[in-house]
Amino acid sequence: MGKCRSPTSFVQESMPLHFYRLGMLVATHPLMTILITLIVVSCIMGGVAFTELDNGYENWYPQKTQAWSDYTYQKQYFGKMNRTEMILIESVPTTSNPYGVLSKDILSSVFALHDKMTSLASFKSLCVKQAGDSGDCEEVQSPFVLWNDDGASIQGNTQDEILDTITAGKQGFVMDAFIGKVERENDDPVGRVLAGSALQIVYWIQDLASKEEEILAYEEDEFLVLCRSEAATIASNTGAGVYCQAERSYTDESDRAIADDQNLMMFAMILMIGYVSVVLSRRDRVESKVLLSFTIVVCVGLSLGVAFGICGYLKIPFTQMSMMTIFIIMGVGIDDMFVITGEFSRTPSHLPSPERVALSLKGVGNSIFYTSVTDFLAFGIGSFIDLPAVSFFCVTAALAVLSVFLVQVTFFAACLGLDGMRIEGDRYDLVPCWKREKWSERNEKEKEQEGIAKEIEEMKEGGYSVCVDFTSFLLKPKVAPCLIFLFLLLGSLMGYRGITTIGKGIKISDFLPEGSYVSEYFEKRDLYFGEIDRIEFITTVDVDVGVEGDRARMDKLMADIEALEQTVGPPDCWYAAFLSYWSDNNGGSIDDAEASVVKSSFTSFQSTPLYTTRYSNAVVLNSGVVSTSKCGSLFYFASHDTDTALLDMDKARAAAGDDAFAFNANYLWMERYRIIDKITMTSLLGCMLGVFTISCLFLDLLSAVLVVVCVILININLLGFMSFWEVRLNVASLVILILSIGFSVDYSAHIAEGYLSHRHRGRSAEEAVVSGVKEMGVSVMNGGISTLLAVLMLSVSKSEGFRVLFKMFLGMVVFGLLHGLGFLPSLFLVTKSGSGMGGKVVEENSRSEEAENMAL
């Protein structure tokens, strides 16, 4: 019976032989391998036809939170939230116009725009309807409700009468929500209004899936077009500025930012390919490998085709974040290609091409498999994050990194074998169908052979010179311990800075292009109004108005809502309206009346125009009892301060008590930042544990620990780097942190594998460090530099989101290279991990493999 072997023994001893056999197979039959790969990938890519595009907002919300539970409850009983269309008018009081935006001329001009907007047939069709059968639109929220939306009343008033009307107000009208920076007489908070700097109008549109195309067309082709054309007229006549925003505006503008930056991403990819071509190319027209460098594009395309195809079959949606997979796979694919071609260049040139490819995969197959598995694991763990968009992306990226590994060891290895055969046949690189002339050109080449050989050798030595010089520096006494101390000190300082000062959240303008009209609107809104929104308090327990205890609960809820510092004015609630109706029609205290009388009055109240037009959609009745209802209030939302916004949310929920809950759409994304620390910590720890487990299969225990320490320090430094460069912790940066774990392993694993391979041959730690860094360091540096060239292009992006991507990738590459090429070799020198005892075993395995190769 055969001896049972451990997984570690199999990975470290047997897998190189399997990679050798695979390399020999694909390089001996390269055209067949390429054909089979293309057929298999084409079949898998068929799943792309089943891929669903899903960029819905709901993908960005955690779905195991109270906010999500509250959201589904309110949607079940009260339908989807309405869409909002906003117009903001700005006119600061001046000497020539002391009333600002409240001047009669400006109000009349803006009302003309408002009247045209509400007269649109499409608006009347899509607006939020009053309850009942009238089909009329609900009252538009604007200062014009003070004149009952009657332009003639404004025209018929004098300027003083207009200001008196605004000062008097109207029930339900909250001045601070619709008139910004109000100036009052003697600065008295309740004094006569004298002027204002801005006003805004809010239009509510039904969010109906059955009319999605009609709604989107209305917003783009009618609302925005009319608003902009009238804005030009108003500006010309009065000097007032008009700023518009539709519900679709943010999505459209963020999509435009992405579209604008796609050109940058394409140029970044061209830079990466160009760098590969320069690194691989030689002056000799046969030895050049420019054509081979272009196969990386094919490898990336095949890998993405596999990933997207499998996702299509599995019904995993394609989101905007999925586009990042292309950039990631370019980096991973080029890194692996550098490692394979670097090993290929170190194989004896007199061997046949298939043998050189086989030896190359034998030498680095474990290394690239190691990094691919850790990348796959990191994204696999990320797929469990409670954010659908992130989960979808991580699944796609995990499949892509696994696919690029399989494509590299089959398709690319076959292309490398073909390229080797081309060189053996003296065929030109870019025109492989042409052979070099055997006599004229060859004779001339032979005359210069010595000089060319010397030049090529100098080029090779030059490529290694940086790594050799650095390792020579490391071998000097006390250099390695000092470097370790400096790296640990830097990591401690950066980690402390990152943990204690890193901000959370995201600016709403981060994903908008510079100069966007949406950015201008948000800027003016924040200047004059802050972010005023509507918060709903939804009751979840039966309320029988005839029962005193139920009324007491509602009285307390109304008082608690009004007592909140963030709410503006009294709550807009059916219950408050009913109490007012009772007082007007019955007099006396409602608590002194019999239950039957109160219930009868409530039944009569349900027939009033106020109830049918304003509150019937907010109340669910069951046999005369209110089973659930919602009461609203305007409130100030601290959108730029996540911690304050979370505290305000907790206060609102506390005010709602046990029989109701407070809900606002912003709570959905705010919940992300309540748990973002926990998600980040659990995700990173899970990834680190996975990296350690995988590392133990490929490395000895001490080396695995050192690699994980290196990865941890890279990510700790990255957190501090984020804090210094004011990159906030949010969904986008969390994804890159997860990604950085996989990339960090790439920078360290190849060095560790190279070091240990020499230790197993019986060499000392010092010799192993020099040889390992010399052999693998250039490939690691080339991979890092190619990624760095690509991300540098993103630094000129007009979108803050892509600039954040640049900042984090820059930190990831720089810290990755520093730790992989400096810190890890220093650790190896100090700890002298690995062992030369495995040399005899390796030599025996090598001899048996050579005998088997000869037989093959």
Side-chain angles (χ1 to χ4, degrees):
M1 295 179 63
K3 184 179 178 181
C4 181
R5 305 175 66 186
S6 68
T8 302
S9 174
F10 172 79
V11 169
Q12 294 180 356
E13 298 175 15
S14 298
M15 282 191 65
L17 178 58
H18 291 298
F19 277 117
Y20 176 88
R21 291 171 176 168
L22 175 63
M24 183 63 73
L25 178 64
V26 301
T28 305
H29 308 284
L31 294 178
M32 181 63 69
T33 300
I34 291 172
L35 179 62
I36 292 175
T37 303
L38 293 176
I39 292 174
V40 172
V41 172
S42 297
C43 293
I44 297 175
M45 286 180 65
V48 175
F50 304 101
T51 301
E52 297 178 358
L53 179 64
D54 187 358
N55 287 322
Y57 289 126
E58 293 184 353
N59 289 330
W60 297 93
Y61 304 141
Q63 299 184 0
K64 297 178 182 177
T65 59
Q66 180 180 341
W68 183 260
S69 176
D70 294 344
Y71 169 67
T72 54
Y73 182 94
Q74 74 88 28
K75 187 166 68 171
Q76 175 185 354
Y77 288 101
F78 304 106
K80 294 180 69 174
M81 293 177 287
N82 299 319
R83 300 173 69 91
T84 55
E85 328 292 349
M86 315 281 289
I87 299 177
L88 187 150
I89 299 88
E90 175 194 38
S91 182
V92 179
T94 61
T95 304
S96 58
N97 176 23
Y99 311 109
V101 77
L102 300 183
S103 73
K104 181 177 178 179
D105 289 342
I106 293 179
L107 285 175
S108 299
S109 298
V110 175
F111 182 84
L113 164 61
H114 170 66
D115 186 54
K116 290 179 180 179
M117 197 68 72
T118 54
S119 299
L120 291 171
S122 51
F123 173 78
K124 293 179 179 179
S125 170
L126 299 171
C127 67
V128 176
K129 308 294 183 183
Q130 295 180 2
D133 300 326
S134 68
D136 294 334
C137 298
E138 280 192 356
E139 188 176 64
V140 174
Q141 298 185 30
S142 75
F144 300 122
V145 300
L146 298 174
W147 293 275
N148 298 316
D149 279 332
D150 183 6
S153 297
I154 299 175
Q155 289 286 355
N157 283 177
T158 64
Q159 182 65 57
D160 286 338
E161 289 173 335
I162 287 174
L163 296 178
D164 290 338
T165 300
I166 296 173
T167 303
K170 181 181 179 181
Q171 183 178 0
F173 176 74
V174 180
M175 186 178 301
D176 290 344
F178 300 102
I179 303 178
K181 291 195 175 181
V182 176
E183 296 180 12
R184 293 179 180 269
E185 195 171 37
N186 300 323
D187 293 329
D188 185 348
V190 294
R192 183 174 184 268
V193 172
L194 301 178
S197 296
L199 62 85
Q200 65 178 348
I201 309 170
V202 182
Y203 301 90
W204 296 99
I205 298 295
Q206 300 177 78
D207 193 357
L208 302 174
S210 60
K211 295 185 176 182
E212 181 177 3
E213 292 185 5
E214 183 181 348
I215 292 170
L216 293 176
Y218 158 73
E219 291 179 342
E220 181 176 18
D221 300 331
E222 297 191 64
F223 175 81
L224 290 175
V225 169
L226 177 59
C227 187
R228 288 165 181 162
S229 64
E230 291 296 313
T233 302
I234 293 173
S236 174
N237 294 337
T238 66
V242 180
Y243 306 89
C244 319
Q245 185 203 247
E247 183 78 18
R248 65 174 294 165
S249 294
Y250 188 87
T251 302
D252 287 349
E253 288 295 278
S254 61
D255 287 348
R256 182 167 71 86
I258 293 174
D260 291 343
D261 288 321
Q262 282 178 350
N263 294 329
L264 284 178
M265 295 187 71
M266 289 299 297
F267 194 72
M269 293 177 186
I270 293 172
L271 269 181
M272 295 174 81
I273 296 168
Y275 180 77
V276 172
S277 301
V278 171
V279 170
L280 295 182
S281 65
R282 298 290 184 269
R283 292 184 182 180
D284 186 84
R285 287 174 288 178
V286 171
E287 295 290 338
S288 173
K289 294 182 182 294
V290 175
L291 193 61
L292 180 66
S293 67
F294 282 97
T295 60
I296 191 62
V297 180
V298 182
C299 290
V300 169
L302 294 175
S303 305
L304 292 172
V306 170
F308 293 148
I310 294 175
C311 288
Y313 286 124
L314 297 177
K315 301 296 184 183
I316 296 173
F318 183 92
T319 67
Q320 286 179 342
M321 184 171 280
S322 300
M323 293 294 295
M324 279 183 59
T325 310
I326 301 173
F327 191 78
I328 292 167
I329 297 309
M330 284 291 294
V332 173
I334 288 179
D335 288 351
D336 289 348
M337 192 195 71
F338 274 127
V339 172
I340 295 173
T341 54
E343 185 70 11
F344 183 85
S345 67
R346 289 188 290 272
T347 59
S349 58
H350 67 273
L351 293 176
S353 178
E355 179 72 14
R356 296 182 69 188
V357 172
L359 290 174
S360 299
L361 290 190
K362 176 187 174 184
V364 299
N366 267 19
S367 184
I368 61 175
F369 183 54
Y370 172 24
T371 57
S372 298
V373 170
T374 51
D375 287 344
F376 177 82
L377 181 67
F379 285 118
I381 292 173
S383 67
F384 290 98
I385 293 177
D386 183 27
L387 289 166
V390 175
S391 180
F392 297 153
F393 161 74
C394 285
V395 171
T396 305
L399 292 171
V401 296
L402 194 59
S403 301
V404 81
F405 164 74
L406 295 174
V407 170
Q408 290 279 12
V409 297
T410 54
F411 181 87
F412 179 73
C415 292
L416 185 60
L418 277 178
D419 191 68
M421 294 177 185
R422 177 191 61 77
I423 294 174
E424 291 172 0
D426 265 349
R427 296 184 178 274
Y428 291 115
D429 180 27
L430 295 177
V431 193
C433 58
W434 287 3
K435 291 188 66 173
R436 180 156 50 191
E437 291 294 335
K438 289 187 176 180
W439 297 109
S440 61
E441 201 170 334
R442 176 64 63 88
N443 288 340
E444 186 178 346
K445 179 176 185 267
E446 286 176 352
K447 291 179 182 178
E448 302 174 2
Q449 185 174 7
E450 184 177 352
I452 293 175
K454 183 178 179 180
E455 182 183 3
I456 293 174
E457 186 64 25
E458 288 175 351
M459 289 172 62
K460 288 183 177 180
E461 288 301 317
Y464 294 126
S465 61
V466 175
C467 294
V468 172
D469 291 344
F470 179 70
T471 51
S472 300
F473 171 72
L474 282 180
L475 294 180
K476 292 181 179 181
K478 299 183 180 180
V479 168
C482 290
L483 278 180
I484 292 174
F485 173 76
L486 290 176
F487 273 101
L488 291 175
L489 178 62
L490 176 65
S492 300
L493 295 176
M494 295 290 279
Y496 176 78
R497 170 67 185 249
I499 293 172
T500 57
T501 64
I502 193 169
K504 292 186 293 185
I506 192 170
K507 294 180 180 179
I508 200 166
S509 60
D510 280 355
F511 294 97
L512 296 173
E514 291 180 353
S516 168
Y517 73 93
V518 179
S519 296
E520 293 179 346
Y521 167 79
F522 284 130
E523 180 184 343
K524 298 300 181 181
R525 185 200 66 181
D526 293 342
L527 175 63
Y528 294 112
F529 299 98
E531 185 164 349
I532 296 180
D533 207 339
R534 181 178 173 89
I535 186 172
E536 303 288 355
F537 292 85
I538 300 177
T539 62
T540 56
V541 178
D542 288 351
V543 176
D544 187 341
V545 295
V547 177
E548 185 175 353
D550 289 358
R551 294 198 302 271
R553 284 193 288 109
M554 291 300 298
D555 288 335
K556 183 177 184 305
L557 177 62
M558 296 298 101
D560 289 344
I561 294 174
E562 191 166 1
L564 284 171
E565 295 179 3
Q566 296 75 30
T567 55
V568 181
D572 178 21
C573 186
W574 63 271
Y575 180 73
F578 168 64
L579 292 183
S580 178
Y581 174 82
W582 168 272
S583 178
D584 292 341
N585 291 275
N586 297 280
S589 173
I590 192 172
D591 293 334
D592 297 332
E594 295 182 2
S596 59
V597 176
V598 176
K599 295 187 70 171
S600 176
S601 180
F602 183 58
T603 302
S604 300
F605 170 66
Q606 295 170 35
S607 301
T608 63
L610 177 63
Y611 179 86
T612 57
T613 60
R614 194 174 185 87
Y615 298 115
S616 62
N617 290 333
V619 177
V620 178
L621 294 169
N622 184 14
S623 301
V625 174
V626 178
S627 57
T628 184
S629 65
K630 61 179 180 178
C631 300
S633 179
L634 294 177
F635 82 117
Y636 288 105
F637 175 61
S639 60
H640 298 299
D641 187 343
T642 303
D643 292 333
T644 300
L646 287 170
L647 288 174
D648 291 346
M649 179 176 70
D650 291 338
K651 291 176 182 178
R653 286 175 171 174
D658 298 329
D659 301 328
F661 63 83
F663 179 76
N664 175 266
N666 290 296
Y667 289 179
L668 288 165
W669 65 260
M670 285 168 54
E671 289 277 20
R672 294 198 304 242
Y673 301 113
R674 182 187 295 281
I675 62 175
I676 194 73
D677 293 333
K678 179 181 177 182
I679 289 178
T680 302
M681 187 62 66
T682 54
S683 298
L684 296 184
L685 288 177
C687 290
M688 294 296 181
L689 180 61
V691 167
F692 176 70
T693 303
I694 298 299
S695 297
C696 288
L697 295 177
F698 290 85
L699 313 171
D700 62 79
L701 180 60
L702 180 56
S703 298
V705 171
L706 297 182
V707 167
V708 171
V709 169
C710 194
V711 172
I712 290 173
L713 275 180
I714 292 172
N715 286 273
I716 286 176
N717 278 277
L718 187 57
L719 280 173
F721 186 73
M722 291 168 59
S723 177
F724 274 111
W725 217 339
E726 297 183 349
V727 176
R728 294 178 169 227
L729 185 60
N730 50 49
V731 176
S733 56
L734 171 60
V735 169
I736 301 176
L737 282 173
I738 294 172
L739 170 66
S740 71
I741 293 179
F743 271 51
S744 302
V745 175
D746 290 0
Y747 294 121
S748 304
H750 297 310
I751 300 297
E753 283 276 356
Y755 167 81
L756 289 177
S757 69
H758 289 282
R759 288 289 278 157
H760 290 164
R761 296 172 191 170
R763 296 182 180 179
S764 66
E766 290 78 8
E767 293 173 330
V769 164
V770 172
S771 299
V773 174
K774 179 180 177 181
E775 291 178 359
M776 304 301 295
V778 174
S779 297
V780 171
M781 277 201 305
N782 283 330
I785 292 172
S786 64
T787 303
L788 197 58
L789 284 175
V791 299
L792 284 175
M793 294 304 306
L794 301 181
S795 64
V796 298
S797 169
K798 294 182 179 180
S799 168
E800 179 63 24
F802 277 94
R803 289 197 292 268
V804 166
L805 187 65
F806 153 71
K807 294 174 183 178
M808 293 196 66
F809 262 86
L810 175 64
M812 183 171 61
V813 172
V814 170
F815 288 120
L817 289 175
L818 288 175
H819 286 76
L821 298 175
F823 181 66
L824 186 60
S826 300
L827 289 176
F828 286 144
L829 288 173
V830 170
T831 61
K832 301 186 185 298
S833 70
S835 173
M837 297 178 63
K840 293 182 179 180
V841 176
V842 173
E843 288 174 3
E844 292 175 1
N845 288 340
S846 299
R847 284 196 294 269
S848 64
E849 289 168 15
E850 288 174 3
E852 183 174 352
N853 296 341
M854 292 294 292
L856 290 173

